[in-house]
Amino acid sequence: MASEDIAKLAESLAKTKVGGGQLSFKGQSLKLNTAEDAEEVIKQIEEFDGLEALRLEGNTVGVEAAKVIAKALEKKSELKRCHWSDMFTGRLRSEIPPALISLGDALIAAGAQLVELDLSDNAFGPDGVRGFEALLKSPACYTLQELKLNNCGMGIGGGKILATALKECHRKSSAQGRPLALKIFVAGRNRLENDGATALAEAFGIIGTLEEVHMPQNGINHPGITALAQAFAINPLLKVINLNDNTFTEKGAVAMAETLKALRQIEVINFGDCLVRSKGAVAIADAVKEGLHKLKELNLSFCEIKRDAALTVVEAIEDKTELEKLDLNGNCLGEEVCEQLHEILEGFNMASVLGSLSDDEGDEDDDEEEEEEDDEEEEEEEQQLKERGAEEQESLTPKKIIDSQASTPVPSPPVDVATFLAFPSPEKLLRLGPKCSVLIAQQTDTSDVEKVVATLLRISSVFKDEAPVKTAVHETTDALMKKAFGSATFNSDAFITNLLVHMGLLKSEEKIKTVPSLYGILMTLNHMVQQDYFPKSLAPVLSAFLLVSGCESPQMSVLKLRIHSLMGLLSCLQYVMFRV
């Protein structure tokens, strides 16, 4: 290293900030190529007692330098926060994975318990995700609360790798009694598209502890948005949802609105530039009006929202006392409607919350909207074709396919119990294998009535009158309910009450989402009541509610007959016992 380079490095390191367990080299533009280049950095790391946070952002670290820095980190077991964004500027993409592997292996060897990992603004692509995949699956990340991967170019492939790693981390950490409890997830500008978003949605549904999700500018259309909405519904602590600059359309907006109705902690909704359009905006407004009393910010800017829908949105926030900002800029309102919005909000004493409307597109005819919707459908079809083509192209890599001419179909990815319960489907149940009934029963806490009901409803929801699926549903139900009813601590009365509430046959003081279709659960109950493990004492209760339900489907009729038979048998047994 030249003397002038040493002097420059020394000057930069003099700016290093130390304090509160943090060692920061942030923004020093250090060019660490070799082990020699990194000597001073290593020295400061080694001499820092109680290192809890290391900031390397705004520098550039090569493979060799990463190796020696990693060696120094192997003794830093107290490290909790890795601020490593923008630390590979000017590097070849091929350099980044080995550098990340070295640093990740060091954290694992040190026995670190990470709370935050920030690798944003490192353009490492799908291969880069492989570089920290092992770290995510390791005990070092069982305690992870914040994962930030903004602007990394992960693509669909990287999103899938990341999702698999998160699910594996949750599985392993749960097995040790301390499940991954991720709170903040950031992955904007990553070209995740529908498939990447759907893969991550499965992981989110399993984790269930998210408080903030930031995924703007990812090219996600309504299938991916719907998958995310379903996953968000299983994360009741969500406070911030930022999906700016994706493409909801009405389908995605309606799905997201349904999820918002089930969330109680939401503070920030950023659906700006998401093309929710008028119908989607009305659906979101309904969700806001029904609840979301902690809402502080609602962004529906540049969404092609028209007059009546915008008025509906404004009227929905009347009692939102915590609201600080409403952004409806860039929509199709016209000057008159803009003034009307101001007047309504002034009447609510909330005029200050409305953001600028300077980019309003003006009032447009309904005919134009219909034409745009037709154009949108065509664009979506084209996009889906592009996605299929892109996925096929992406799959043709040396790591995934040895012979690019081979026609052997790619096997379906493995499914675990958590994945099935988060996103139940007949295919997933069958892919759990012949031991699916045992696995689900083992992983369900039968001392918790609500969990038993939730699991039973998910199992029954995939019922089909096809031999393999029907058998799998029956066997899994039998294993679960035999274990539950066989437990001395299981409250059968509470179980049947909870089940009736979720079936919509009994009202609850709390707002509980009922099952969309009774077909699966009725067919499953029809099987259950015929089994020896089913308590005969529950038959009168179940019968009473079925009789007054007003539902006269064939499944309901058969179930009523089964229960009447049970009640008859119960009466006979009671008569015999009395005579004896």
Side-chain angles (χ1 to χ4, degrees), residues 230-286:
Q230 292 170 346
F232 293 165
I234 316 173
N235 285 264
L237 302 178
L238 265 175
K239 296 178 181 179
V240 178
I241 303 177
N242 176 8
L243 294 173
N244 189 286
D245 199 7
N246 289 291
T247 307
F248 281 42
T249 66
E250 181 187 341
K251 291 180 181 178
V254 169
M256 193 62 70
E258 284 301 308
T259 285
L260 291 175
K261 291 177 182 178
L263 299 175
R264 296 285 182 270
Q265 307 301 321
I266 289 292
E267 296 178 2
V268 177
I269 298 171
N270 187 345
F271 297 159
D273 204 12
C274 283
L275 205 66
V276 303
R277 290 209 165 106
S278 293
K279 290 182 179 178
V282 169
I284 292 169
D286 288 344

Short mmCIF file of all heavy atoms in Angstrom, two decimals, residues 230-286:
data_model
loop_
_atom_site.label_atom_id
_atom_site.label_comp_id
_atom_site.label_asym_id
_atom_site.label_seq_id
_atom_site.Cartn_x
_atom_site.Cartn_y
_atom_site.Cartn_z
N GLN A 230 -53.28 -12.04 2.15
CA GLN A 230 -53.61 -13.22 2.96
C GLN A 230 -52.58 -13.43 4.07
O GLN A 230 -52.93 -13.81 5.19
CB GLN A 230 -53.70 -14.45 2.06
CG GLN A 230 -54.88 -14.42 1.10
CD GLN A 230 -54.82 -15.52 0.06
OE1 GLN A 230 -53.78 -16.18 -0.12
NE2 GLN A 230 -55.90 -15.74 -0.65
N ALA A 231 -51.32 -13.18 3.74
CA ALA A 231 -50.26 -13.34 4.74
C ALA A 231 -50.34 -12.25 5.81
O ALA A 231 -50.15 -12.51 7.00
CB ALA A 231 -48.90 -13.32 4.06
N PHE A 232 -50.63 -11.02 5.39
CA PHE A 232 -50.73 -9.92 6.36
C PHE A 232 -51.83 -10.17 7.37
O PHE A 232 -51.72 -9.76 8.53
CB PHE A 232 -50.99 -8.60 5.63
CG PHE A 232 -49.84 -8.11 4.77
CD1 PHE A 232 -50.04 -7.13 3.82
CD2 PHE A 232 -48.58 -8.66 4.90
CE1 PHE A 232 -48.99 -6.67 3.03
CE2 PHE A 232 -47.51 -8.21 4.11
CZ PHE A 232 -47.73 -7.22 3.17
N ALA A 233 -52.88 -10.86 6.95
CA ALA A 233 -54.00 -11.14 7.86
C ALA A 233 -53.57 -12.03 9.02
O ALA A 233 -54.21 -12.05 10.07
CB ALA A 233 -55.14 -11.80 7.09
N ILE A 234 -52.47 -12.75 8.84
CA ILE A 234 -51.96 -13.65 9.88
C ILE A 234 -50.86 -12.97 10.69
O ILE A 234 -50.19 -13.58 11.50
CB ILE A 234 -51.44 -14.96 9.25
CG1 ILE A 234 -52.40 -15.47 8.19
CG2 ILE A 234 -51.28 -16.06 10.31
CD1 ILE A 234 -51.89 -16.66 7.41
N ASN A 235 -50.69 -11.67 10.46
CA ASN A 235 -49.71 -10.87 11.21
C ASN A 235 -50.44 -9.72 11.90
O ASN A 235 -50.41 -8.58 11.45
CB ASN A 235 -48.64 -10.32 10.26
CG ASN A 235 -47.65 -11.37 9.82
OD1 ASN A 235 -46.57 -11.51 10.40
ND2 ASN A 235 -48.01 -12.13 8.80
N PRO A 236 -51.11 -10.00 13.01
CA PRO A 236 -52.00 -9.03 13.65
C PRO A 236 -51.30 -7.79 14.22
O PRO A 236 -51.97 -6.82 14.57
CB PRO A 236 -52.66 -9.84 14.76
CG PRO A 236 -51.68 -10.94 15.06
CD PRO A 236 -51.07 -11.29 13.75
N LEU A 237 -49.97 -7.82 14.31
CA LEU A 237 -49.25 -6.69 14.90
C LEU A 237 -48.81 -5.66 13.86
O LEU A 237 -48.15 -4.68 14.19
CB LEU A 237 -48.01 -7.19 15.66
CG LEU A 237 -48.28 -8.19 16.79
CD1 LEU A 237 -46.97 -8.65 17.41
CD2 LEU A 237 -49.18 -7.58 17.85
N LEU A 238 -49.18 -5.86 12.60
CA LEU A 238 -48.74 -4.97 11.53
C LEU A 238 -49.13 -3.52 11.79
O LEU A 238 -50.29 -3.21 12.06
CB LEU A 238 -49.34 -5.41 10.20
CG LEU A 238 -48.46 -6.32 9.32
CD1 LEU A 238 -49.23 -6.78 8.09
CD2 LEU A 238 -47.18 -5.61 8.91
N LYS A 239 -48.14 -2.63 11.67
CA LYS A 239 -48.37 -1.20 11.84
C LYS A 239 -48.18 -0.44 10.53
O LYS A 239 -48.85 0.56 10.30
CB LYS A 239 -47.41 -0.64 12.89
CG LYS A 239 -47.60 -1.19 14.29
CD LYS A 239 -46.58 -0.60 15.24
CE LYS A 239 -46.74 -1.17 16.65
NZ LYS A 239 -45.71 -0.61 17.58
N VAL A 240 -47.23 -0.90 9.71
CA VAL A 240 -46.88 -0.19 8.49
C VAL A 240 -46.91 -1.14 7.29
O VAL A 240 -46.26 -2.20 7.32
CB VAL A 240 -45.48 0.45 8.58
CG1 VAL A 240 -45.10 1.15 7.28
CG2 VAL A 240 -45.41 1.41 9.75
N ILE A 241 -47.66 -0.79 6.27
CA ILE A 241 -47.66 -1.53 5.00
C ILE A 241 -47.33 -0.55 3.89
O ILE A 241 -48.10 0.37 3.60
CB ILE A 241 -49.02 -2.20 4.71
CG1 ILE A 241 -49.43 -3.15 5.84
CG2 ILE A 241 -48.96 -2.96 3.39
CD1 ILE A 241 -50.80 -3.78 5.64
N ASN A 242 -46.17 -0.73 3.27
CA ASN A 242 -45.73 0.14 2.18
C ASN A 242 -45.54 -0.71 0.92
O ASN A 242 -44.56 -1.43 0.80
CB ASN A 242 -44.43 0.85 2.55
CG ASN A 242 -43.88 1.70 1.41
OD1 ASN A 242 -44.55 1.88 0.38
ND2 ASN A 242 -42.68 2.22 1.57
N LEU A 243 -46.50 -0.62 0.02
CA LEU A 243 -46.42 -1.35 -1.24
C LEU A 243 -46.47 -0.37 -2.42
O LEU A 243 -46.95 -0.70 -3.50
CB LEU A 243 -47.58 -2.35 -1.34
CG LEU A 243 -47.54 -3.50 -0.33
CD1 LEU A 243 -48.81 -4.33 -0.41
CD2 LEU A 243 -46.33 -4.38 -0.54
N ASN A 244 -45.96 0.81 -2.21
CA ASN A 244 -45.99 1.87 -3.21
C ASN A 244 -45.44 1.41 -4.56
O ASN A 244 -44.48 0.65 -4.63
CB ASN A 244 -45.16 3.06 -2.70
CG ASN A 244 -45.30 4.28 -3.57
OD1 ASN A 244 -44.76 4.37 -4.66
ND2 ASN A 244 -46.03 5.26 -3.06
N ASP A 245 -46.08 1.87 -5.62
CA ASP A 245 -45.63 1.62 -6.99
C ASP A 245 -45.61 0.14 -7.36
O ASP A 245 -44.67 -0.36 -7.98
CB ASP A 245 -44.24 2.23 -7.21
CG ASP A 245 -43.92 2.42 -8.69
OD1 ASP A 245 -44.82 2.20 -9.53
OD2 ASP A 245 -42.77 2.77 -9.01
N ASN A 246 -46.65 -0.57 -6.99
CA ASN A 246 -46.95 -1.89 -7.53
C ASN A 246 -48.32 -1.78 -8.20
O ASN A 246 -48.90 -0.70 -8.22
CB ASN A 246 -46.95 -2.95 -6.42
CG ASN A 246 -45.53 -3.24 -5.91
OD1 ASN A 246 -44.69 -3.79 -6.60
ND2 ASN A 246 -45.27 -2.82 -4.67
N THR A 247 -48.85 -2.85 -8.73
CA THR A 247 -50.10 -2.75 -9.49
C THR A 247 -51.19 -3.60 -8.85
O THR A 247 -51.30 -4.80 -9.11
CB THR A 247 -49.88 -3.18 -10.96
OG1 THR A 247 -48.79 -2.44 -11.50
CG2 THR A 247 -51.12 -2.91 -11.79
N PHE A 248 -52.02 -2.97 -8.00
CA PHE A 248 -53.08 -3.68 -7.31
C PHE A 248 -54.21 -4.06 -8.26
O PHE A 248 -54.63 -5.20 -8.30
CB PHE A 248 -53.67 -2.80 -6.20
CG PHE A 248 -52.88 -2.73 -4.94
CD1 PHE A 248 -51.50 -2.60 -4.97
CD2 PHE A 248 -53.51 -2.76 -3.71
CE1 PHE A 248 -50.78 -2.50 -3.79
CE2 PHE A 248 -52.80 -2.67 -2.53
CZ PHE A 248 -51.43 -2.53 -2.56
N THR A 249 -54.74 -3.09 -8.98
CA THR A 249 -56.02 -3.14 -9.68
C THR A 249 -57.12 -3.46 -8.67
O THR A 249 -56.86 -3.63 -7.47
CB THR A 249 -56.03 -4.13 -10.85
OG1 THR A 249 -55.91 -5.47 -10.37
CG2 THR A 249 -54.94 -3.82 -11.85
N GLU A 250 -58.35 -3.54 -9.13
CA GLU A 250 -59.47 -3.75 -8.20
C GLU A 250 -59.33 -5.04 -7.40
O GLU A 250 -59.57 -5.08 -6.19
CB GLU A 250 -60.79 -3.75 -8.97
CG GLU A 250 -62.00 -3.95 -8.07
CD GLU A 250 -63.28 -4.13 -8.86
OE1 GLU A 250 -63.31 -3.76 -10.06
OE2 GLU A 250 -64.25 -4.64 -8.28
N LYS A 251 -58.90 -6.13 -8.07
CA LYS A 251 -58.81 -7.42 -7.38
C LYS A 251 -57.85 -7.36 -6.20
O LYS A 251 -58.16 -7.81 -5.09
CB LYS A 251 -58.35 -8.50 -8.37
CG LYS A 251 -59.37 -8.86 -9.43
CD LYS A 251 -58.84 -9.94 -10.36
CE LYS A 251 -59.86 -10.30 -11.44
NZ LYS A 251 -59.32 -11.32 -12.37
N GLY A 252 -56.67 -6.83 -6.43
CA GLY A 252 -55.69 -6.74 -5.36
C GLY A 252 -56.13 -5.79 -4.26
O GLY A 252 -55.92 -6.06 -3.07
N ALA A 253 -56.76 -4.67 -4.65
CA ALA A 253 -57.21 -3.68 -3.66
C ALA A 253 -58.30 -4.25 -2.77
O ALA A 253 -58.31 -4.03 -1.55
CB ALA A 253 -57.71 -2.42 -4.38
N VAL A 254 -59.23 -4.99 -3.35
CA VAL A 254 -60.31 -5.59 -2.58
C VAL A 254 -59.76 -6.64 -1.60
O VAL A 254 -60.17 -6.70 -0.43
CB VAL A 254 -61.37 -6.23 -3.51
CG1 VAL A 254 -62.35 -7.09 -2.72
CG2 VAL A 254 -62.12 -5.15 -4.28
N ALA A 255 -58.81 -7.44 -2.06
CA ALA A 255 -58.19 -8.44 -1.18
C ALA A 255 -57.47 -7.77 -0.02
O ALA A 255 -57.57 -8.20 1.13
CB ALA A 255 -57.22 -9.30 -1.98
N MET A 256 -56.75 -6.69 -0.33
CA MET A 256 -56.02 -5.99 0.72
C MET A 256 -56.99 -5.30 1.69
O MET A 256 -56.75 -5.26 2.91
CB MET A 256 -55.08 -4.96 0.10
CG MET A 256 -54.05 -4.40 1.06
SD MET A 256 -52.91 -5.63 1.75
CE MET A 256 -51.94 -6.05 0.30
N ALA A 257 -58.09 -4.79 1.17
CA ALA A 257 -59.08 -4.14 2.02
C ALA A 257 -59.68 -5.13 3.03
O ALA A 257 -59.90 -4.79 4.20
CB ALA A 257 -60.19 -3.53 1.16
N GLU A 258 -59.94 -6.35 2.58
CA GLU A 258 -60.47 -7.37 3.49
C GLU A 258 -59.50 -7.66 4.62
O GLU A 258 -59.89 -7.85 5.77
CB GLU A 258 -60.76 -8.66 2.70
CG GLU A 258 -62.01 -8.59 1.86
CD GLU A 258 -63.25 -8.31 2.69
OE1 GLU A 258 -63.48 -9.02 3.69
OE2 GLU A 258 -63.99 -7.36 2.36
N THR A 259 -58.21 -7.67 4.29
CA THR A 259 -57.19 -7.90 5.31
C THR A 259 -57.14 -6.73 6.30
O THR A 259 -57.03 -6.94 7.51
CB THR A 259 -55.82 -8.10 4.66
OG1 THR A 259 -55.76 -9.40 4.08
CG2 THR A 259 -54.69 -7.97 5.67
N LEU A 260 -57.23 -5.51 5.78
CA LEU A 260 -57.18 -4.34 6.66
C LEU A 260 -58.30 -4.36 7.70
O LEU A 260 -58.11 -3.86 8.81
CB LEU A 260 -57.28 -3.06 5.82
CG LEU A 260 -56.06 -2.74 4.94
CD1 LEU A 260 -56.35 -1.52 4.06
CD2 LEU A 260 -54.82 -2.50 5.78
N LYS A 261 -59.43 -4.95 7.35
CA LYS A 261 -60.54 -5.03 8.31
C LYS A 261 -60.17 -5.89 9.52
O LYS A 261 -60.74 -5.72 10.60
CB LYS A 261 -61.77 -5.62 7.62
CG LYS A 261 -62.39 -4.70 6.58
CD LYS A 261 -63.57 -5.38 5.90
CE LYS A 261 -64.18 -4.50 4.83
NZ LYS A 261 -65.31 -5.16 4.12
N ALA A 262 -59.24 -6.82 9.33
CA ALA A 262 -58.87 -7.73 10.41
C ALA A 262 -57.69 -7.21 11.24
O ALA A 262 -57.37 -7.78 12.28
CB ALA A 262 -58.52 -9.10 9.84
N LEU A 263 -57.05 -6.13 10.79
CA LEU A 263 -55.87 -5.61 11.48
C LEU A 263 -56.26 -4.45 12.39
O LEU A 263 -57.04 -3.60 12.00
CB LEU A 263 -54.81 -5.17 10.47
CG LEU A 263 -54.29 -6.30 9.55
CD1 LEU A 263 -53.33 -5.73 8.51
CD2 LEU A 263 -53.61 -7.39 10.36
N ARG A 264 -55.68 -4.41 13.57
CA ARG A 264 -56.07 -3.40 14.56
C ARG A 264 -54.97 -2.38 14.85
O ARG A 264 -55.24 -1.34 15.44
CB ARG A 264 -56.43 -4.10 15.89
CG ARG A 264 -57.64 -5.03 15.78
CD ARG A 264 -58.92 -4.22 15.73
NE ARG A 264 -60.10 -5.09 15.67
CZ ARG A 264 -60.64 -5.52 14.55
NH1 ARG A 264 -60.11 -5.17 13.38
NH2 ARG A 264 -61.72 -6.29 14.56
N GLN A 265 -53.73 -2.66 14.46
CA GLN A 265 -52.62 -1.81 14.85
C GLN A 265 -52.10 -0.93 13.72
O GLN A 265 -51.10 -0.22 13.89
CB GLN A 265 -51.46 -2.69 15.37
CG GLN A 265 -51.84 -3.66 16.48
CD GLN A 265 -52.39 -2.95 17.69
OE1 GLN A 265 -51.93 -1.89 18.07
NE2 GLN A 265 -53.40 -3.55 18.32
N ILE A 266 -52.74 -0.96 12.56
CA ILE A 266 -52.23 -0.25 11.39
C ILE A 266 -52.12 1.26 11.63
O ILE A 266 -53.07 1.90 12.07
CB ILE A 266 -53.14 -0.50 10.16
CG1 ILE A 266 -52.97 -1.93 9.66
CG2 ILE A 266 -52.81 0.47 9.04
CD1 ILE A 266 -51.62 -2.24 9.06
N GLU A 267 -50.93 1.80 11.32
CA GLU A 267 -50.68 3.23 11.45
C GLU A 267 -50.39 3.88 10.10
O GLU A 267 -50.72 5.05 9.89
CB GLU A 267 -49.50 3.47 12.40
CG GLU A 267 -49.76 3.02 13.83
CD GLU A 267 -48.57 3.24 14.74
OE1 GLU A 267 -47.55 3.78 14.25
OE2 GLU A 267 -48.63 2.86 15.92
N VAL A 268 -49.73 3.15 9.20
CA VAL A 268 -49.35 3.72 7.91
C VAL A 268 -49.75 2.77 6.78
O VAL A 268 -49.39 1.59 6.80
CB VAL A 268 -47.83 3.98 7.83
CG1 VAL A 268 -47.44 4.50 6.45
CG2 VAL A 268 -47.41 4.97 8.91
N ILE A 269 -50.50 3.31 5.82
CA ILE A 269 -50.86 2.57 4.60
C ILE A 269 -50.34 3.37 3.42
O ILE A 269 -50.79 4.49 3.18
CB ILE A 269 -52.39 2.39 4.46
CG1 ILE A 269 -52.95 1.57 5.63
CG2 ILE A 269 -52.73 1.72 3.14
CD1 ILE A 269 -54.47 1.54 5.66
N ASN A 270 -49.39 2.81 2.69
CA ASN A 270 -48.85 3.50 1.51
C ASN A 270 -49.12 2.65 0.28
O ASN A 270 -48.37 1.73 -0.03
CB ASN A 270 -47.35 3.74 1.66
CG ASN A 270 -46.79 4.59 0.52
OD1 ASN A 270 -47.44 4.77 -0.51
ND2 ASN A 270 -45.59 5.11 0.71
N PHE A 271 -50.23 2.96 -0.39
CA PHE A 271 -50.58 2.29 -1.64
C PHE A 271 -50.53 3.29 -2.80
O PHE A 271 -51.26 3.18 -3.77
CB PHE A 271 -51.99 1.69 -1.55
CG PHE A 271 -52.14 0.61 -0.50
CD1 PHE A 271 -53.40 0.28 0.01
CD2 PHE A 271 -51.04 -0.08 -0.01
CE1 PHE A 271 -53.54 -0.71 0.97
CE2 PHE A 271 -51.18 -1.07 0.96
CZ PHE A 271 -52.43 -1.38 1.45
N GLY A 272 -49.67 4.29 -2.66
CA GLY A 272 -49.54 5.29 -3.71
C GLY A 272 -49.01 4.68 -5.01
O GLY A 272 -48.18 3.77 -4.98
N ASP A 273 -49.51 5.19 -6.13
CA ASP A 273 -49.08 4.73 -7.46
C ASP A 273 -49.29 3.22 -7.62
O ASP A 273 -48.47 2.53 -8.23
CB ASP A 273 -47.61 5.08 -7.68
CG ASP A 273 -47.25 5.18 -9.16
OD1 ASP A 273 -48.18 5.18 -9.99
OD2 ASP A 273 -46.05 5.21 -9.47
N CYS A 274 -50.38 2.72 -7.06
CA CYS A 274 -50.65 1.27 -7.10
C CYS A 274 -51.87 0.93 -7.96
O CYS A 274 -52.31 -0.22 -7.98
CB CYS A 274 -50.87 0.73 -5.69
SG CYS A 274 -49.34 0.51 -4.76
N LEU A 275 -52.44 1.92 -8.65
CA LEU A 275 -53.54 1.68 -9.57
C LEU A 275 -54.71 0.93 -8.90
O LEU A 275 -55.23 -0.04 -9.44
CB LEU A 275 -53.05 0.89 -10.80
CG LEU A 275 -53.86 1.07 -12.08
CD1 LEU A 275 -53.74 2.48 -12.61
CD2 LEU A 275 -53.39 0.09 -13.15
N VAL A 276 -55.08 1.39 -7.72
CA VAL A 276 -56.21 0.73 -7.04
C VAL A 276 -57.53 1.08 -7.71
O VAL A 276 -58.52 0.38 -7.57
CB VAL A 276 -56.28 1.11 -5.54
CG1 VAL A 276 -55.00 0.77 -4.83
CG2 VAL A 276 -56.62 2.57 -5.34
N ARG A 277 -57.56 2.22 -8.43
CA ARG A 277 -58.74 2.71 -9.13
C ARG A 277 -59.91 2.94 -8.17
O ARG A 277 -59.83 2.70 -6.96
CB ARG A 277 -59.11 1.79 -10.28
CG ARG A 277 -58.08 1.85 -11.43
CD ARG A 277 -58.76 1.56 -12.76
NE ARG A 277 -57.90 1.97 -13.87
CZ ARG A 277 -57.23 1.11 -14.64
NH1 ARG A 277 -57.30 -0.18 -14.40
NH2 ARG A 277 -56.49 1.56 -15.63
N SER A 278 -61.01 3.38 -8.71
CA SER A 278 -62.13 3.83 -7.87
C SER A 278 -62.73 2.72 -7.02
O SER A 278 -62.97 2.88 -5.83
CB SER A 278 -63.21 4.47 -8.74
OG SER A 278 -62.73 5.67 -9.31
N LYS A 279 -63.00 1.56 -7.62
CA LYS A 279 -63.61 0.46 -6.87
C LYS A 279 -62.69 -0.02 -5.75
O LYS A 279 -63.14 -0.34 -4.65
CB LYS A 279 -63.97 -0.68 -7.81
CG LYS A 279 -65.13 -0.36 -8.75
CD LYS A 279 -65.48 -1.55 -9.63
CE LYS A 279 -66.65 -1.22 -10.56
NZ LYS A 279 -66.98 -2.36 -11.46
N GLY A 280 -61.41 -0.06 -6.05
CA GLY A 280 -60.45 -0.47 -5.02
C GLY A 280 -60.38 0.56 -3.90
O GLY A 280 -60.29 0.20 -2.72
N ALA A 281 -60.44 1.84 -4.26
CA ALA A 281 -60.39 2.90 -3.26
C ALA A 281 -61.60 2.83 -2.33
O ALA A 281 -61.48 3.05 -1.12
CB ALA A 281 -60.31 4.26 -3.94
N VAL A 282 -62.77 2.55 -2.90
CA VAL A 282 -63.99 2.44 -2.09
C VAL A 282 -63.86 1.26 -1.10
O VAL A 282 -64.26 1.37 0.06
CB VAL A 282 -65.22 2.25 -2.99
CG1 VAL A 282 -66.45 1.87 -2.16
CG2 VAL A 282 -65.49 3.53 -3.78
N ALA A 283 -63.32 0.15 -1.57
CA ALA A 283 -63.13 -1.02 -0.69
C ALA A 283 -62.18 -0.68 0.46
O ALA A 283 -62.42 -1.03 1.62
CB ALA A 283 -62.58 -2.19 -1.49
N ILE A 284 -61.10 0.03 0.15
CA ILE A 284 -60.15 0.43 1.18
C ILE A 284 -60.80 1.42 2.14
O ILE A 284 -60.60 1.36 3.36
CB ILE A 284 -58.88 1.02 0.54
CG1 ILE A 284 -58.12 -0.08 -0.21
CG2 ILE A 284 -57.97 1.67 1.59
CD1 ILE A 284 -57.00 0.42 -1.11
N ALA A 285 -61.59 2.33 1.60
CA ALA A 285 -62.30 3.31 2.45
C ALA A 285 -63.24 2.61 3.43
O ALA A 285 -63.33 3.00 4.60
CB ALA A 285 -63.10 4.28 1.57
N ASP A 286 -63.92 1.57 2.97
CA ASP A 286 -64.81 0.81 3.86
C ASP A 286 -64.02 0.20 5.01
O ASP A 286 -64.48 0.18 6.16
CB ASP A 286 -65.53 -0.29 3.06
CG ASP A 286 -66.59 0.28 2.13
OD1 ASP A 286 -66.98 1.44 2.32
OD2 ASP A 286 -67.02 -0.45 1.20
#
